[in-house]
Amino acid sequence: MNGLKKGLGLFWMILGPASIIFLFLQAYEKVGLAAEGVQKTNTALQWGIILFIFIPISAGLVIFGYYALKGEYDQRSEGSEEAAD
């Protein structure tokens, strides 16, 4: 189980920056496809809000993955009925 936690930690550490890169590429594409004027401004504003919300989430994924990879979540709480590895 600890190996799975460490593997998923690496996955979260890769997923965080990958998702932000993907969102930036989507934002660039969608804003570029929008018609000039108000529609382009609205699309840019929407993607700005989306990126503003997801950047901290992605940073959290990286931090969570880092701690999982280091083994910070290997300890079980007292009273846990989970079988030992």
Side-chain angles (χ1 to χ4, degrees):
M1 191 65 153
N2 290 336
L4 178 64
K5 290 177 185 176
K6 289 182 182 186
L8 285 173
L10 182 63
F11 176 74
W12 298 131
M13 288 179 67
I14 293 171
L15 182 66
S19 65
I20 285 298
I21 290 169
F22 175 74
L23 284 175
F24 268 106
L25 292 175
Q26 285 294 307
Y28 181 76
E29 179 184 340
K30 301 297 181 191
V31 171
L33 291 175
E36 290 293 326
V38 174
Q39 186 177 5
K40 190 167 206 136
T41 304
N42 286 339
T43 305
L45 179 63
Q46 290 169 350
W47 276 100
I49 292 170
I50 291 170
L51 290 172
F52 181 74
I53 291 170
F54 277 98
I55 286 174
I57 292 172
S58 295
L61 279 175
V62 171
I63 293 169
F64 181 71
Y66 173 74
Y67 283 123
L69 191 62
K70 281 184 61 179
E72 295 290 328
Y73 304 115
D74 290 348
Q75 300 172 354
R76 291 190 196 99
S77 62
E78 303 258 339
S80 175
E81 297 178 8
E82 187 176 326
D85 291 338

